[in-house]
């Protein structure tokens, strides 16, 4: 959701910022721009489209300090004018977040002035120019005091060395180099550039020059933030021979499950302690993270017999939720930065719940507010659509549910142990090209299952629609006859996930209902009788038999590959689907 990057030092700022923006492109790719301090003049280039659109424009941008931006449009359409940086007087700024009171600020301070863009961000540059009296930091503090909403801002001033950053809500990581320093929205931008990093707190303002970084709180008192080794490595960014990050990351599912299962042992006792006396659990998240919560609900209720609900974070935070001191909220987020999820977690904390974060990002906002952090060890995920992080989340949530049920960490880890190999078998062998072709030609694709297979159906549907744009819906198979059946005809494909023996017969009835209405059907199953029954009548994908509860780990890989292959057939970019961004740090 917009990425910002800043550099100051002896290197070529334009190139360093450009490379950093390319690594942050998963946060938005509607437009991009860079400003460089060339002597005491700021030069800016910005363009509609991807970061690569700037490639040929940087030739005359010589200088050691620069800031840049890759945009996911919120206020103002994607265009050259609305691209950041925005400049006013001696200032150039880039912004990630939403300034909620930008119209009031414009009316109050600039009623007679023209703005060059429709963004909420340009007013920041104008305000800086208005309040500047020779000191960048105090002008920035004054402006931040007026802003409502969320922001990570990088500011360059033609009259100062280096650049400044400020943050509230949206994240900023500082990178400490040797005679050079960096700031970025996220760690991948800093991979291989610096050994140490620090995460800024809300309200912080940092002034970066080649020789050092000074950090202040909102009252401009100097503060110290913990400096830790930079966990991002250039290897995280390699495609390793894969044509896309999505395929690379699907192939990394086995490693994500393995690392997550092993690392849980280090947090099990904290989970146990936090969950003491808990009589109700709410799992919250957005998108794929919410879908992993659907599986967790079933785990917690079945294993621990504790009532559990899965709630979409953006709904939960505004519904005045019922929380008692014995409620635990599990907030699930790959990035740990999704605004709705972090704010749902903060709300739950303020109402007295225990909050457990399940996240792939160890230094994220979510980790800083939660009582306990259960790591998802999926490694850096770059494709906008989540794949290996889903598998890691399901693994972690399964282990949490078993802890709640009083099972030992060893026994849970043993049940999961075969799954990396089972998933590797799928990524290397499953033939679903014919099914991808059916989906690509379909008018609509429906994903159906019962119980734990329904949770996976939701994720399969999300994956397909987000990267192939084929209209799709995930539905409980039993509900088919109460609505979705009206949509079924020869142009539709219904993909059934059938992994549990006990409900296989019931689900098979739904397949028959689709076939008898001339709908096309596919069955992804590890139940031999089901496979036998539908061979020749439906597209059958046989998957290995496994522990019933953990079948989502296997079936989700088939659905991820299906979405990937369908997207390729339709000539979509699977890594950067239109209109989407990976880290949605605004509401
Ligand atoms: C965005 C992405 C989804 C992702 C969701 C939640 O909408 O496009 O792929 O599942 O955010 O992200 P999180 O980082 O909180 O898991």
């Amino acid at each position: 959701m917009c990425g910002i990057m800043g550099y100051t030092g002896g290197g070529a700022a334009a190139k360093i910022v450009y490379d950093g923006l390319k690594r942050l492109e998963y946060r938005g790719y509607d437009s991009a721009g860079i400003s460089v301090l060339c002597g005491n003049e700021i030069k800016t280039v910005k363009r509609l489209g991807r970061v690569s659109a700037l490639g040929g424009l940087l030739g005359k941008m010589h200088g050691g300090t620069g800031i840049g931006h890759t945009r996911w449009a919120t206020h103002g359409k994607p265009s050259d004018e609305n691209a950041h940086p925005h400049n006013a007087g001696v200032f150039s700024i880039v912004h990630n977040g939403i300034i909620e009171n930008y119209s009031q600020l414009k009316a109050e301070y600039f009623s007679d002035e023209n703005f060059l863009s429709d963004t909420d961000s340009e007013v920041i540059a104008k305000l800086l120019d208005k309040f500047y009296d020779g000191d960048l930091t105090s002008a920035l503090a004054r402006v931040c005091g007026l802003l409502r909403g969320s922001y990570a801002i990088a500011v360059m001033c033609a009259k100062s060395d280096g650049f400044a950053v400020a943050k509230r809500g949206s994240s900023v990581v500082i990178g400490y180099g040797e005679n050079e320093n960096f700031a970025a929205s996220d760690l991948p931008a800093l991979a291989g550039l610096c050994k140490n990093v620090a995460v800024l707190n809300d309200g912080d303002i940092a002034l970066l020059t080649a020789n050092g970084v000074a950090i202040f709180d909102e009252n401009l008192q100097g503060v110290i933030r913990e400096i830790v080794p930079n966990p991002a490595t250039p290897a995280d960014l390699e495609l390793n021979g894969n044509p896309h990050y999505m395929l690379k990351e699907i192939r990394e599912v086995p490693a994500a499950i393995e690392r997550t299962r092993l690392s849980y042992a280090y947090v099990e006792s904290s989970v146990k302690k936090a969950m003491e006396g808990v009589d109700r659990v709410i799992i919250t998240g957005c998108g794929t993270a919410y879908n992993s919560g659907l599986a967790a609900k079933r785990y917690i209720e079945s294993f621990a017999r504790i009532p559990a609900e899965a709630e979409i974070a953006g709904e939960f935070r505004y519904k005045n939720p019922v929380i008692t001191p014995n409620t635990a909220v599990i907030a699930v987020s790959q990035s740990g930065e999704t605004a709705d999820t972090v704010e749902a977690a903060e709300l739950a904390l303020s109402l007295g719940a225990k909050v457990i974060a399940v996240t792939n990002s160890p230094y994220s906002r979510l980790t800083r507010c939660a009582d306990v952090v259960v790591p998802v060890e999926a490694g850096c995920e770059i494709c906008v659509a989540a794949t290996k992080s889903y598998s890691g989340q399901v693994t972690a949530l399964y282990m949490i549910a078993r802890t709640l049920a009083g099972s030992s960490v060893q026994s849970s880890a043993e049940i999961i142990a075969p799954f990396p190999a089972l998933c590797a078998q799928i990524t290397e062998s499953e033939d679903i090209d014919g099914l991808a072709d059916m989906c690509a030609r379909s008018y609509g694709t429906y994903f159906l299952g019962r119980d734990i297979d329904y949770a996976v159906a939701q994720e399969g549907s999300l994956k397909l629609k987000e990267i192939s744009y084929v209209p799709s819906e995930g539905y409980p198979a039993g509900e088919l006859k109460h609505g979705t059946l009206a949509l079924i005809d020869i142009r539709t494909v219904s993909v059934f996930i059938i992994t549990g023996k006990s409900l296989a017969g019931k689900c098979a009835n739904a397949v028959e209902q689709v076939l008898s209405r001339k709908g096309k059907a596919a069955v992804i199953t590890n139940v031999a009788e089901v496979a036998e029954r539908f061979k020749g009548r439906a597209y059958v994908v046989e998957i290995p038999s496994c522990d019933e509860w953990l079948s989502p780990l296997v079936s989700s890989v088939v659905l991820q590959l299906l979405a990937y292959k369908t997207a390729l057939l339709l000539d979509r970019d699977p890594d950067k689907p239109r209109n989407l961004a990976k880290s949605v740090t605004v509401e």
Side-chain angles (χ1 to χ4, degrees):
M1 164 99 356
C2 298
I4 67 169
M5 167 87 182
Y7 170 81
T8 183
K15 171 82 172 85
I16 293 166
V17 171
Y18 175 81
D19 290 342
L21 292 181
K22 290 208 91 171
R23 294 166 171 195
L24 291 174
E25 230 178 356
Y26 61 86
R27 299 175 67 94
Y29 28 87
D30 288 330
S31 64
I34 293 175
S35 285
V36 172
L37 191 55
C38 307
N40 48 12
E41 185 199 349
I42 291 177
K43 287 190 180 161
T44 299
V45 291
K46 50 187 191 172
R47 285 289 181 276
L48 174 68
R50 297 197 174 174
V51 175
S52 56
L54 304 176
L57 308 172
L58 304 176
K60 294 193 178 136
M61 314 257 299
H62 302 296
T65 297
I67 57 174
H69 188 267
T70 181
R71 180 168 186 246
W72 186 79
T74 60
H75 291 61
K77 66 180 186 201
S79 67
D80 287 353
E81 296 72 34
N82 291 333
H84 298 217
H86 296 290
N87 298 348
V90 290
F91 289 97
S92 185
I93 70 108
V94 291
H95 166 226
N96 162 215
I98 289 182
I99 304 305
E100 288 166 1
N101 59 338
Y102 77 104
S103 337
Q104 292 96 303
L105 291 170
K106 278 184 176 184
E108 191 175 339
Y109 293 97
F110 307 104
S111 53
D112 299 333
E113 283 189 42
N114 279 335
F115 279 69
L116 301 174
S117 76
D118 302 320
T119 65
D120 54 326
S121 310
E122 190 181 354
V123 74
I124 301 170
K126 293 262 198 192
L127 286 167
L128 283 165
D129 188 45
K130 188 173 191 71
F131 295 145
Y132 181 61
D133 61 3
D135 182 42
L136 166 60
T137 325
S138 58
L140 184 54
R142 186 159 172 205
V143 172
C144 289
L146 296 175
L147 304 178
R148 299 286 163 266
S150 63
Y151 53 81
I153 309 167
V155 182
M156 227 165 53
C157 173
K159 293 190 173 170
S160 316
D161 282 345
F163 67 100
V165 291
K167 82 139 246 158
R168 184 170 299 281
S170 312
S171 281
V172 178
V173 187
I174 304 289
Y176 294 82
E178 277 178 32
N179 301 320
E180 56 181 4
N181 290 300
F182 308 79
S185 295
D186 205 354
L187 288 165
L190 304 181
L193 292 179
C194 55
K195 288 204 176 92
N196 295 312
V197 295
V199 178
L200 294 187
N201 284 2
D202 274 350
D204 284 356
I205 289 178
L207 192 58
L208 293 87
T209 61
N211 301 322
V213 179
I215 306 178
F216 310 94
D217 66 14
E218 54 206 317
N219 303 314
L220 290 185
Q221 299 300 308
V223 287
I224 291 171
R225 299 293 172 227
E226 189 188 4
I227 296 177
V228 296
N230 181 1
T233 67
D236 294 337
L237 310 167
E238 302 286 327
L239 275 164
N240 296 339
N242 291 287
H244 299 102
Y245 283 109
M246 184 169 185
L247 185 59
K248 176 195 176 212
E249 290 162 8
I250 295 172
R251 288 179 167 156
E252 289 170 349
V253 162
I257 297 172
E258 182 64 4
R259 286 194 301 254
T260 303
R261 137 189 123 93
L262 295 176
S263 72
Y264 183 77
Y266 297 98
V267 295
E268 187 220 16
S269 58
S270 316
V271 172
K272 233 184 222 167
K273 194 154 170 256
M275 291 288 205
E276 250 165 44
V278 160
D279 59 13
R280 183 161 157 258
V281 181
I282 299 168
I283 311 113
T284 192
C286 302
T288 292
Y290 166 75
N291 289 342
S292 70
L294 291 175
K297 168 186 160 64
R298 297 294 295 114
Y299 295 157
I300 293 167
E301 291 192 330
S302 303
F303 306 163
R305 305 304 298 160
I306 293 176
E309 293 141 60
E311 295 258 20
I312 289 171
E315 292 294 312
F316 173 80
R317 58 184 287 212
Y318 290 116
K319 69 167 219 180
N320 190 12
V322 180
I323 301 272
T324 69
N326 292 336
T327 307
V329 171
I330 304 179
V332 187
S333 171
Q334 185 285 128
S335 62
E337 299 289 345
T338 300
D340 282 330
T341 308
V342 177
E343 277 156 44
E346 284 170 355
L347 172 70
L349 278 169
S350 73
L351 295 173
K354 281 276 178 318
V355 173
I356 297 184
V358 173
T359 180
N360 195 30
S361 304
Y363 301 111
S364 57
R365 258 183 96 190
L366 188 60
T367 60
R368 278 175 279 140
C369 74
D371 293 303
V372 179
V373 177
V374 175
V376 168
E377 301 280 359
C380 183
E381 192 177 67
I382 291 179
C383 174
V384 167
T387 52
K388 59 179 179 169
S389 65
Y390 173 79
S391 317
Q393 286 162 3
V394 171
T395 304
L397 291 164
Y398 174 86
M399 298 198 75
I400 293 172
R402 292 207 19 121
T403 298
L404 263 176
S407 313
S408 74
V409 65
Q410 290 83 355
S411 66
S412 311
E414 271 165 32
I415 297 172
I416 300 172
F419 279 84
L422 293 175
C423 294
Q425 220 173 302
I426 302 275
T427 57
E428 298 318 322
S429 73
E430 212 58 68
D431 179 12
I432 49 163
D433 291 354
L435 181 53
D437 189 57
M438 281 161 63
C439 293
R441 290 163 190 269
S442 80
Y443 183 76
T445 297
Y446 305 100
F447 289 83
L448 300 127
R450 296 186 86 127
D451 199 23
I452 196 72
D453 292 332
Y454 161 60
V456 186
Q458 286 282 53
E459 176 58 8
S461 163
L462 176 62
K463 223 57 340 161
L464 186 76
K465 78 178 94 163
E466 62 182 343
I467 64 161
S468 74
Y469 324 147
V470 171
S472 154
E473 217 180 318
Y475 229 65
E479 273 288 291
L480 175 71
K481 54 191 179 294
H482 299 298
T484 302
L485 200 53
L487 300 173
I488 301 300
D489 64 19
I490 199 160
R491 298 166 300 172
T492 63
V493 176
S494 301
V495 180
F496 289 85
I497 302 109
I498 307 180
T499 62
K501 270 209 166 128
S502 55
L503 291 170
K506 305 269 178 221
C507 214
N509 290 345
V511 184
E512 298 289 2
Q513 287 158 15
V514 165
L515 290 173
S516 58
R517 268 91 186 164
K518 295 199 167 52
K520 297 191 180 77
V523 179
I524 297 168
T525 188
N526 55 15
V527 182
E529 306 86 84
V530 172
E532 226 24 68
R533 176 165 167 186
F534 290 110
K535 265 183 197 156
R537 295 200 292 145
Y539 195 104
V540 175
V541 180
E542 287 188 76
I543 56 173
S545 17
C546 60
D547 176 275
E548 260 187 36
W549 287 114
L550 285 169
S551 64
L553 292 178
V554 179
S555 50
S556 62
V557 175
V558 179
L559 298 175
Q560 289 164 359
L561 283 169
L562 177 62
Y564 174 72
K565 292 188 173 194
T566 308
L568 292 190
L569 286 174
L570 292 168
D571 216 14
R572 319 291 193 211
D573 178 347
D575 287 341
K576 294 193 182 82
R578 70 181 178 201
N579 305 337
L580 299 181
K582 192 159 183 70
S583 281
V584 184
T585 55
V586 298
E587 283 191 54

